[in-house]
Amino acid sequence: MSPYVLLALAIVAEVTGTVSLKYADGFTRLVPSVIVAVAYGTAFYLLSLVLKAGMSVGVVYAIWSAIGVALVAVIGALFLGERMNLTMIAGLVLVVGGVVLLELGGQQH
């Protein structure tokens, strides 16, 4: 499987775990707590496969964290009643833009 597909799956798993944290209520609710543990375990396992496939750890982590942050922020704003304003959107654009630059720089030899 493509490292980028594995990375996308790792991001989905991490976002699932992070959103589930909201519902785990300090790990006092069983089902969301189990989802958190399984999702994070899956995310890290998939990340290990991405790194094993030869992708650079800096680029992998940058993509994983930036897209994860952006997705969690958007999910929070759309579905969890969290606020989002233009300053926050600009910050997310800058984070994702920085990751794109890291990826482009990593492709130059």
Side-chain angles (χ1 to χ4, degrees), residues 5-15 39 42-44 46-47 50 64:
V5 171
L6 292 171
L7 181 54
L9 293 172
I11 292 166
V12 169
E14 186 269 333
V15 169
T42 300
F44 286 114
L46 291 169
L47 281 176
V50 172
W64 180 65

Side-chain angles (χ1 to χ4, degrees), residues 6-94:
L6 292 171
L7 181 54
L9 293 172
I11 292 166
V12 169
E14 186 269 333
V15 169
T16 300
T18 300
V19 171
S20 296
L21 275 173
K22 175 113 174 149
Y23 297 103
D25 196 28
F27 290 103
T28 60
R29 297 181 61 213
L30 180 62
V31 173
S33 298
V34 169
I35 292 171
V36 169
V38 170
Y40 280 136
T42 300
F44 286 114
Y45 172 71
L46 291 169
L47 281 176
S48 75
L49 296 179
V50 172
L51 295 172
K52 184 178 179 181
M55 286 185 71
S56 162
V57 69
V59 171
V60 168
Y61 187 72
I63 293 170
W64 180 65
S65 59
I67 293 177
V69 165
L71 286 174
V72 168
V74 169
I75 289 168
L78 293 177
F79 303 108
L80 304 176
E82 297 177 355
R83 67 183 190 92
M84 177 76 68
N85 59 42
L86 287 177
T87 303
M88 296 166 80
I89 292 168
L92 290 173
V93 169
L94 289 170

